[in-house]
Amino acid sequence: MMKKGFLQLLFLLMVIPSAAQVLPMDYSYCGYERSEQPIPDAAVKVYVQPTGGDDAPLIQQAIDMVSRQKPDARLGVRGAVLLGDGVFNLATPLRIRTSGVVLRGSGRDRTILRKTGYDRGALLYIEGQPQRIYGDTVDVENTPAGALSIGVKSLPKTWTTGTRLLVWRPSTADWIRSLGCESFGGGQRMGYWAWHPGDIDLRWNRRIMSYKGNTLALDAPVTLSIEQRWGGAKAVAYTQPGLLERCGVENLTLESDYDRTLPKDENHCWDGVSITDAENCWVRMVTFRHFAGSSVVVGRSASQVTVEDCKSLAPVSEIGGLRRRTYLVLGEKTLFQRCYSEYGINDYAAGHTAPGPNAFVQCDSWQSYGPSGSISSMAPGLLFDLVNIDGNDLLFRNLELEKFGAGWNTANSTLWQCTAAGLFCYSPDTLNRNYSIGCWGQIVGNGEYSKMNEHVKPYSAYRDQLLKRLTTDRDEIDKRCRVLERNTTASSSPTMEVAMKMSTEALLPRTTMEAWIDSAHFEADITPIKPLVCKSPKPSVQNPSVYALTNGWITKNGAVLVGQKHQTPWWSGRTISSFLPKAKAALTRFVPSEEGTGLTDRVDSVVETMKKSHTVIFSQNYGLWTDRRRDDHERIRRKNGDVWAPFFEQPFARSGQGTAWDGLSLYDLTKPNLWYFYRLRQFAEKSQDIGILLKNQHYFQHNILEAGAHWVDCPWRTANNVNHTPFLEPVNFTGDKRIFTAQLFYDTTNESLRPLHRQYIRQMLDAFKGQPNVVHSIGEEFTGPLPFVRFWLDVVAEWETENGRTLVALAVTKDVQDSILNDPIRSKIVDIIDIEQWYNHQKGQYAPPGGMNMAPRQYMRKIRGGSVRFDDVYRAVAEYRTSYPDKAVIYSAQKYPEMGWAALMAGGSCANVPVNDKMFLRDITSMKPQKIDDNYLLQGDCGYVVYKTTSTPLSLPLASSSTYKYMQIDAKTGDITEKGMVRRQIEFTERGIYWIRKK
């Protein structure tokens, strides 16, 4: 018996492949310090107890205190903030922004951090500074995938051991074509979603470990072959002074609060821990509850992160795209081990061009709603080792059009001893193969398969690779890997003794991964010390900015507001790196788990961008549609909620009930999208002292006229809400393509629509109550009928009677505008006349009538106007300033922003002129427009502003008792040059802009 067993074992060792023989690369370089060192146990420096109120300032103060400590010479950490027992409520997120800081709880069941509020970001950010300083660049020789070294054409003298390199592999047209990703079918029209050169570039961050000649040994393998025929690659030296390291979160529970009445509520914290611009960090022994997005997201700029012994429980969100990506990596060299996820959509996922390698080891899911694997374009070098996806798939394949044209999702990746409902393992080409070894499930694909539906040795490929690479301390490596090794002894023909033993074992509870995670013992110090007492900061005394209408000018602290207008994007956009620098700022654009320009813009960054660009108006309207799948302008119902980002959010909340046309739940028009208004309110508050107006458009007419695709996902459509709006279903598209539903939409006599409109308008006003720099306007592209404008103003008046005045702009067609302004009651509600839907031109006036069910573009195709000149804009503004001197006038029509000086000289507010001089802007509040021949003046008791357009001399009389300062203004830069002093009279002989003021 012993001899036979020995021979069987010897046979198995001979025929079962080893990891070293078959895997395309060594994945063991993933994790904290490339898994070569244990995670350090930082000494406790500060102890914090919950207060019962908002604990975010107290914990942040503790984090900042530890951030000022000196790092430990041996471990490289500054220390830990220890949180005591109980629930810590956080109104704002926590941020670790200094290396060597650890946030530790007293136990995952004892310390709970609960994020409140409507912010959809993370509960905790570990974030360094992204700025890099780049140096020499050299070409890289051909390199096979999995190589730990690269050859370069030349070696710069400054490069040495430890030098950081960015190895950049471009995505060329030829390479894209070779993979069949230049189009996913449908002809040229569908090419928008295909791969384009520059979209799928890979950027590996590596260090030089050693070098010999022009060969550089790297700290981790490259994960995709570098081939000159496909554009090769370049290596660029860089430094990143603000890169964080050795930061961690451990031994506690992170939880998102949410509205218990909405089982799919999404107006709450989405992510647990977000890690960006950091390396050698960790998240261990953390339980996550109720998050909508990711428990942990390792950002594009993060690497060498370990996430271990973590559980994600009871997520709360819609079942749709970019939600519940429980453990998400966008960076590289990240190790997720011993993790559990329930009810996830993409439980274990790599995002767009995550460069790798990245490893998921001993990870289980329960009742998965979607697949794991790479969930976007080309994230190579993935290892799924001992991963179980319950009820769904593991995907290594060409996703083609799915996920915004993801195409091939990975290469040089391995499924090792995994289980899933479906195992899709395809390979993109002959040099970059994907492998499936010892896996269990339905098998599909042309990848490299072996031992399917069989167990293989070694049990864990990751542990085996690590043991072979680090041979010094096997016990320590086993301890770190802590593999739950199942009994895989064959049992089809057992002996009687073995059968009895197995029968006994079958009565014992199976050790689940969740239980295995719970059995992990936390060894670091959790001994309380004297607790930190929060010192409340002294309130800063600031005089609030005063916004007012002063002599028909919009002013802040007595100075006229001037500057550019920023129009928020309505739709479109990409989340790929090549597109982001071109993206316009948006406040209600949302990309789950990713923040920054073109993604989920940080409000502070938007405010700073508007300030630098001398922007005075941020014009806000809700998105044309949230789902980028609708960019195809089709009208079909989507098969599921696998929506594509970026999302342009709507002002209405989802109900959590039923299914709308886009596959998510139905809207409830009576409930606001709290995140939408939270973001806008934040912007208004933060930009108030800068002098920026938030123009809040209540409606967006684009949805109800023109292309039928604009209507199909609209919240007001009957099929998309729980409020039973009275629109036709199925929709009677004009010509089976266009939509003309404005007539019913604007019908204020309709008993179903009228109360919904009234409540919605009041919600729009409620959201900004007391905020002085918010201007309310009826809607973007509005050409609707007079009765609806009257109704809108009546609701505003009703609200103002109860809550106080707010700034109201009238931006409608000229006939409707004049009718309202001649209305002695409703004209009083209007503060600002916005010339937007009509204009003067050299042939006359473009002034289409309102309420004709025509969109502005449709009018423009029918009513041809001439070119718009300086005097055309001047006349339009001056006419209304003269007729309604108590109201401000803004020009937003044709030739905006070029005609800023024309609008200003006519008395127009928010004109696009570059002058920032506060004295100038205060002076003109007392001035009125005047025209002498073809010259334009602003005149007041304090002096003049002259815009001289002719060569004919112009003489101005001055008060004989005063001395005047005489200055010239540069029309393009706003620079003011002092010319001298004058009295009694001044004569202008040259063209230009002049400012004459009393000394």
Side-chain angles (χ1 to χ4, degrees), residues 776-932:
H776 293 278
S777 183
I778 193 168
E780 184 62 42
E781 298 192 330
F782 186 84
T783 57
L786 176 61
F788 189 81
V789 180
R790 287 172 173 162
F791 168 77
W792 178 70
L793 287 169
D794 290 345
V795 176
V796 172
E798 171 193 275
W799 184 90
E800 287 186 330
T801 300
E802 300 168 11
N803 299 282
R805 293 281 293 182
T806 189
L807 288 173
V808 177
L810 186 65
V812 294
T813 56
K814 192 173 192 307
D815 61 334
V816 174
Q817 203 164 55
D818 289 342
S819 181
I820 292 296
L821 293 173
N822 290 325
D823 184 325
I825 303 299
R826 295 185 176 93
S827 64
K828 294 178 181 179
I829 305 164
V830 177
D831 303 293
I832 302 166
I833 303 167
D834 193 345
I835 300 173
E836 186 174 35
Q837 302 302 342
W838 64 274
Y839 57 88
N840 297 328
H841 55 78
Q842 69 179 83
K843 296 180 181 179
Q845 191 174 75
Y846 168 82
M852 294 291 105
N853 302 310
M854 295 273 281
R857 270 170 304 283
Q858 292 169 322
Y859 274 126
M860 293 285 282
R861 296 182 192 118
K862 300 298 180 184
I863 306 173
R864 298 293 181 182
S867 63
V868 176
R869 303 159 301 178
F870 189 102
D871 193 61
D872 297 322
V873 175
Y874 180 90
R875 284 188 295 107
V877 175
E879 175 188 341
Y880 281 90
R881 280 288 273 120
T882 303
S883 301
Y884 307 98
D886 60 329
K887 302 185 188 303
V889 180
I890 294 176
Y891 185 83
S892 307
Q894 291 289 87
K895 279 298 183 77
Y896 174 88
E898 298 95 320
M899 294 295 180
W901 281 105
L904 183 74
M905 296 308 298
S909 295
C910 302
N912 182 35
V913 297
V915 184
N916 283 316
D917 187 282
K918 294 301 179 187
M919 189 176 293
F920 173 82
L921 297 174
R922 280 193 289 267
D923 277 2
I924 62 177
T925 60
S926 63
M927 296 181 181
K928 293 183 179 179
Q930 180 185 2
K931 188 177 180 185
I932 300 177

Side-chain angles (χ1 to χ4, degrees), residues 140-202:
V140 179
E141 304 281 4
N142 284 347
T143 306
L148 275 163
S149 63
I150 57 172
V152 294
K153 294 290 179 68
S154 61
L155 185 66
K157 293 181 180 179
T158 56
W159 290 16
T160 186
T161 300
T163 297
R164 292 185 184 272
L165 297 180
L166 174 68
V167 182
W168 167 55
R169 183 191 189 277
S171 49
T172 63
D174 288 342
W175 176 66
I176 290 170
R177 195 176 301 111
S178 75
L179 297 181
C181 292
E182 78 281 11
S183 173
F184 300 118
Q188 291 184 346
R189 182 170 179 267
M190 300 302 288
Y192 175 75
W193 288 275
W195 287 8
H196 301 96
D199 287 356
I200 317 296
D201 293 0
L202 285 176

